[in-house]
Amino acid sequence: MHKAVLAISAIALAAALSGCQDQAGGGAGGSRDQIRAVGSSTVYPFATAAAEQFVQKNPGRKSPIIEQTGTGAGMKQFCAGIGAQHPDIENASRRMKKGEFEQCRANGVTDIVEIQIGVDGIALAESNKGPGFRLTPELIYKALADDPFGKGKNKAQTWADVDPSLPKVAISVFGPPSTSGTRDSLAELILEKGCLTDPAMKELKEKDEDRFKATCTRIREDGKYVDSGENDNLIVQKLAANPNSLGVFGFSYLEENRDKLKDVPIDGVEATYETVATGRYPGARPLYIYVKKAHLGVIPGLKEYIEEVASGWGPDGYLAKRGMVAAPEEVRAKNAEIVRNLTVLDGSMLK
Amino acid sequence: MTSPPPDETLTRRIPTDWKGQAMQRRIAARYRAERRFRLIGLASILLSAGFLAFLLVSMLGNGLSGFTRTEIAVKFDFPRAPMVVDPAMLEGGNADQVLAGANLPVVTAQAANAALGEGGDALISSNAWLTVRDAIRDDPSILQREAVLSLPASADIDLAAKSQGTAQAEAAYARLKQGGHVSRAINMPFLTASDATDPTQVGIWGAFKGSLLTMLVTLLLSFPVGVLAALYLEEYAPRNRWTDMIEVSINNLAAVPSIIFGLLGLAVFLNMMHLPRSAPLVGGLTMALMTMPVIVIAGRNAIKAVPPSIRDAALGIGASPVQVVFHHVLPLALPGIMTGTIIGMARALGETAPLLMIGMRAFIASPPGGVTDPATVLPVQIFLWSDEISKGFVEKTSAAIIVLLLFLLGMNSIAIYLRNKFEKRW
């Protein structure tokens, strides 16, 4: 008897599962009726704003699904293949890497449209009650690198150890984890720049790219730099509680929390809308969305969604209202052109 | 025969000197220990109750205001507004389509500017035109006349009304209040709408429904499998090394961190079986894996507690083993099984980590229609809102937590009710 019970439950389970698989199989083989995007949590608020506009202007359409995975993990999913079970759009807070592009190609995702939707700054900020840091990429690099200039482990305990002109408070920086695009930008925009102030590092860059990367972008792991997850609000709270700490996060969070935080000028340039938009602030970085050309026309509304994004990226657009910094005029014109012609990304331009 | 004289030392017992100092000290020490133990117990109850009260008070303090919203009355003069909508066209099913092209955002902004002075459009929610759209759709006749509509205030004004805003917004709010434009209303959309980008527009319904669907899948799968497994292990399985190993594995499984079930779900349900991402179906399957061991353990304990005499009696009067199980053992064990199930389900309801892995950490603006539609669940929604930039989301996050707590409270109350109602003692 008990064998029969077992058999029945096994059959029921199998039937339930295969039933589901049929449905999903239908979905995967045919098409989806809603757009799916994955990727950066920095681009997420802008992507969702665009999704909302898209639904309001096209009432018949289903709302796009925007997932927060972080840029790197999103790229993996995006590049996993063509078809309804793979996302249509990758939101990226940095440019696609050469390796990711190859990965995409290997999986049949050959035609990718790259659109820069705007600019974000990675801002360094401190509490309003903080000592008022003024930093340069070099100082930041010296304070945060695991192995500054390849001369052995970082021993700096206080900012005064890094440079006597800085306040004598312990180094404590809250920032994004290594899976985050914000972290990549920190490495690329600030740490590398600081690292290259040493001529020996310039030489190393030409000779041994990998060692250069390791020396210049690896962040110390002795607790001076605290991974704070993908949650930028958490960093804001930490800063309010620890006035001597610095935080690294998206510029839009700084803008929204100006009552609690002030920005840390880098090279004497303050993080304002103006300096980020023009790229004068060293932490300014472009935001992208990547679209699979093969999905255009198959996934209903995908083209309209991209156009919706493009319609809102001006300085007075709805994306700017959500905290995005508009790209300079010529960049916008160039990308509007890409949206119109759906120009495919040339992989040889990537690094 | 005379008995030998009793031993002097045995018979001459010295009665305990209860009044003596040494004895009094020992008695006092005993009473003290008794009192101390009681106080420690009381203190631990107070401590845990204190934590709970702190959680509740801080959530209620932050979140209750999330259930209300600030509305601003704006007068619309539709016949003169720069829009052309033929009421006849609104009759069909495509009213939304018609109104989407009707320039409503501009009309709304102009009306707000006219009613509230220059810059009035910044005081109302940027999505306020949706309220206007719904009003027109519900009653096309207002297009022929003037109408006063209550529009949701912008997030800044809403915060100012709850005295958490910036100085500038508070000043603007004070002006509005003087003009008699503002009112406080129950935020019904919070209970009926889904995720949005504007904190004044967000709702919990989409996530709530996602949670319900996920729980449904979990229950349908884990309850029968768990109960049957428990029955088999208790009633049929021979006691040998294999069943011991299964028991250890099940106990282990109940203690495995939930994120591991998420990874398993990602590998099996998404990558191997190609089920749809972000769907309550996959969430429910993953949660079922997590809940099943809990049900098996609770079920085994409940079945074990049914006295053997009942089985023997049933067998004795000629019942077959299946009849014994289904007529006697299972009904008697059911209250215990159900309590265990509900506790397992409540744990699954509050679980976030495994769902992040299978794509439920997503912006989903419409409630799911079925178990294969993309959805999110309450705890993930709370997680998403806590990460939002706009400050208006703080109270919405707390409000969502209150909804989740009420949901949990409901489930646990059912568990206690079932236990008290059906439990038998022997």
Side-chain angles (χ1 to χ4, degrees):
Chain A
M1 184 59 218
H2 58 268
K3 273 189 192 145
V5 171
L6 268 189
I8 289 168
S9 56
I11 291 168
L13 186 64
L17 291 181
S18 62
C20 313
Q21 187 160 17
D22 284 350
Q23 278 177 1
S31 87
R32 253 182 286 120
D33 55 355
Q34 63 209 141
I35 300 165
R36 294 202 76 119
V38 294
S40 162
S41 51
T42 313
V43 184
Y44 173 85
F46 314 129
T48 52
E52 216 165 60
Q53 293 284 331
F54 166 77
V55 176
Q56 286 164 11
K57 294 200 183 148
N58 306 281
R61 296 255 187 253
K62 280 197 182 169
S63 173
I65 311 294
I66 320 276
E67 238 185 275
Q68 283 190 45
T69 57
T71 303
M75 284 285 183
K76 270 194 204 146
Q77 282 185 31
F78 180 75
C79 288
I82 295 276
Q85 70 271 38
H86 302 293
D88 313 310
I89 299 178
E90 153 78 4
N91 301 319
S93 56
R94 58 162 170 74
R95 213 166 178 201
M96 186 180 255
K97 290 181 186 159
K98 184 112 193 158
E100 289 163 344
F101 185 75
E102 309 277 292
Q103 178 76 36
C104 265
R105 282 177 64 126
N107 290 325
V109 188
T110 46
D111 291 354
I112 302 170
V113 182
E114 177 191 70
I115 305 162
Q116 185 188 339
I117 60 168
V119 184
D120 185 36
I122 53 160
L124 258 74
E126 61 180 330
S127 154
N128 270 337
K129 288 169 269 166
F133 286 99
R134 302 185 73 81
L135 298 173
T136 65
E138 188 187 353
L139 294 176
I140 298 169
Y141 172 70
K142 280 186 187 163
L144 291 186
D146 186 46
D147 178 15
F149 303 118
K151 289 176 188 154
K153 282 277 175 202
N154 196 340
K155 292 204 188 63
Q157 294 300 316
T158 67
W159 286 98
D161 294 345
V162 177
D163 190 286
S165 70
L166 291 171
K168 197 170 170 53
V169 294
I171 298 172
S172 158
V173 177
F174 295 98
S178 56
T179 50
S180 161
T182 313
R183 171 76 164 266
D184 293 342
S185 301
L186 172 69
E188 194 179 316
L189 298 171
I190 294 180
L191 296 180
E192 277 190 27
K193 218 179 267 176
C195 189
L196 286 173
T197 53
D198 184 353
M201 290 294 116
K202 273 193 191 130
E203 246 169 69
L204 183 67
K205 183 174 183 177
E206 273 146 36
K207 273 201 314 232
D208 187 349
E209 184 82 33
D210 286 344
R211 260 200 55 209
F212 167 75
K213 280 264 178 234
T215 321
C216 286
T217 63
R218 180 169 310 152
I219 290 182
R220 61 197 300 186
E221 283 167 356
D222 56 356
K224 299 283 176 227
Y225 179 89
V226 183
D227 262 12
S228 308
E230 293 268 3
N231 192 327
D232 289 359
N233 273 336
L234 191 67
I235 302 181
V236 173
Q237 283 176 18
K238 289 272 181 203
L239 290 187
N242 305 292
N244 285 333
S245 299
L246 291 184
V248 181
F249 42 77
F251 176 70
S252 38
Y253 283 88
L254 171 65
E255 279 291 273
E256 183 71 16
N257 291 288
R258 286 274 185 196
D259 54 336
K260 293 192 204 102
L261 305 177
K262 61 184 177 200
D263 57 295
V264 173
I266 300 179
D267 283 339
V269 182
E270 286 175 17
T272 62
Y273 189 90
E274 192 64 42
T275 57
V276 172
T278 53
R280 274 213 305 139
Y281 185 71
R285 58 169 176 178
L287 300 177
Y288 295 97
I289 61 173
Y290 291 88
V291 185
K292 284 178 191 159
K293 199 166 182 182
H295 284 197
L296 285 158
V298 180
I299 305 293
L302 187 52
K303 187 157 178 9
E304 286 89 335
Y305 175 76
I306 303 170
E307 280 160 4
E308 192 52 60
V309 175
S311 76
W313 68 30
D316 301 319
Y318 62 87
L319 293 178
K321 276 192 196 134
R322 302 273 306 155
M324 191 181 76
V325 177
E329 183 77 49
E330 61 269 28
V331 175
R332 292 205 307 271
K334 201 181 105 205
N335 282 284
E337 190 68 30
I338 295 178
V339 170
R340 216 167 307 127
N341 304 332
L342 299 169
T343 324
V344 171
L345 170 67
D346 177 6
S348 62
M349 283 156 47
L350 301 175
K351 285 189 283 193
Chain B
M1 221 169 90
T2 54
S3 54
D7 192 348
E8 287 278 301
T9 50
L10 273 181
T11 48
R12 268 191 54 226
R13 286 183 62 234
I14 303 166
T16 311
D17 181 12
W18 293 99
K19 296 261 157 49
Q21 220 171 23
M23 211 54 205
Q24 282 294 330
R25 261 206 310 279
R26 283 169 69 179
I27 292 172
R30 279 178 67 151
Y31 284 155
R32 263 204 311 279
E34 202 70 32
R35 268 200 308 276
R36 205 159 48 225
F37 183 69
R38 219 175 50 205
L39 282 178
I40 291 173
L42 187 66
S44 28
I45 287 277
L46 284 179
L47 191 69
S48 41
F51 280 128
L52 189 66
F54 176 74
L55 176 76
L56 281 179
V57 166
S58 69
M59 282 309 140
L60 289 177
N62 282 332
L64 276 184
S65 60
F67 292 102
T68 64
R69 68 172 183 181
T70 311
E71 290 183 345
I72 301 180
V74 173
K75 194 168 86 177
F76 282 83
D77 185 3
F78 286 112
R80 275 191 241 159
M83 59 183 283
V84 185
V85 174
D86 179 2
M89 285 167 71
L90 297 176
E91 295 299 316
N94 55 351
D96 277 358
Q97 195 77 52
V98 173
L99 290 169
N103 208 15
L104 277 178
V106 175
V107 172
T108 310
Q110 281 184 0
N113 279 334
L116 310 172
E118 205 49 44
D121 57 335
L123 302 178
I124 57 168
S125 160
S126 55
N127 289 320
W129 69 272
L130 293 174
T131 315
V132 181
R133 182 191 72 185
D134 295 346
I136 296 177
R137 194 183 47 204
D138 294 344
D139 179 14
S141 73
I142 60 170
L143 284 174
Q144 267 96 39
R145 56 186 159 88
E146 284 184 0
V148 175
L149 299 177
S150 284
L151 303 182
S154 75
D156 285 345
I157 296 296
D158 193 40
L159 280 178
K162 292 158 183 169
S163 29
Q164 294 157 6
T166 57
Q168 202 186 353
E170 301 237 5
Y173 174 69
R175 269 201 309 281
L176 282 175
K177 203 168 176 188
Q178 229 159 29
H181 295 291
V182 288
S183 58
R184 191 65 98 67
I186 297 287
N187 191 357
M188 277 315 281
F190 184 73
L191 298 177
T192 56
S194 296
D195 201 2
T197 58
D198 182 345
T200 60
Q201 302 283 323
V202 297
I204 198 75
W205 173 238
F208 193 85
K209 195 171 173 195
S211 270
L212 277 179
L213 287 171
T214 308
M215 289 298 108
L216 189 72
V217 174
T218 307
L219 184 69
L220 285 182
L221 206 68
S222 63
F223 185 70
V225 176
V227 171
L228 288 175
L231 269 179
Y232 180 81
L233 284 174
E234 276 306 313
E235 297 291 318
Y236 296 104
R239 300 263 173 270
N240 60 23
R241 201 181 316 156
W242 289 107
T243 43
D244 281 352
M245 258 169 69
I246 290 176
E247 179 167 2
V248 170
S249 315
I250 288 177
N251 287 345
N252 252 339
L253 217 53
V256 165
S258 54
I259 187 80
I260 294 177
F261 288 106
L263 289 168
L264 183 77
L266 175 68
V268 176
F269 301 131
L270 292 186
N271 292 346
M272 274 170 54
M273 296 166 70
H274 297 298
L275 297 179
R277 265 184 90 80
S278 328
L281 175 67
V282 180
L285 287 171
T286 311
M287 293 300 191
L289 293 179
M290 219 180 76
T291 315
M292 209 176 60
V294 179
I295 298 181
V296 174
I297 291 172
R300 290 190 66 178
N301 287 335
I303 292 167
K304 224 182 274 177
V306 175
S309 56
I310 289 183
R311 295 186 184 82
D312 294 343
L315 286 171
I317 57 169
S320 74
V322 174
Q323 285 173 331
V324 172
V325 165
F326 283 98
H327 293 176
H328 302 282
V329 176
L330 203 53
L332 288 173
L334 214 51
I337 298 176
M338 290 218 272
T339 313
T341 307
I342 290 175
I343 288 170
M345 297 286 287
R347 185 185 154 203
L349 175 68
E351 198 55 73
T352 324
L355 300 179
L356 301 185
M357 306 305 302
I358 55 165
M360 288 187 128
R361 183 191 182 187
F363 174 78
I364 292 158
S366 47
V371 288
T372 51
D373 282 356
T376 188
V377 294
L378 281 171
V380 177
Q381 188 70 77
I382 291 166
F383 178 55
L384 278 171
W385 284 351
S386 74
D387 198 19
E388 279 283 347
I389 302 175
S390 171
K391 273 195 238 159
F393 273 102
V394 175
E395 61 171 22
K396 301 295 172 196
T397 310
S398 300
I401 293 174
I402 293 175
V403 172
L404 178 68
L405 285 180
L406 287 178
F407 197 162
L408 281 174
L409 197 68
M411 283 178 74
N412 287 328
S413 314
I414 293 175
I416 289 182
Y417 173 76
L418 286 179
R419 198 183 60 205
N420 290 348
K421 180 150 172 121
F422 296 111
E423 194 174 43
K424 284 221 163 56
R425 291 183 189 280
W426 290 284

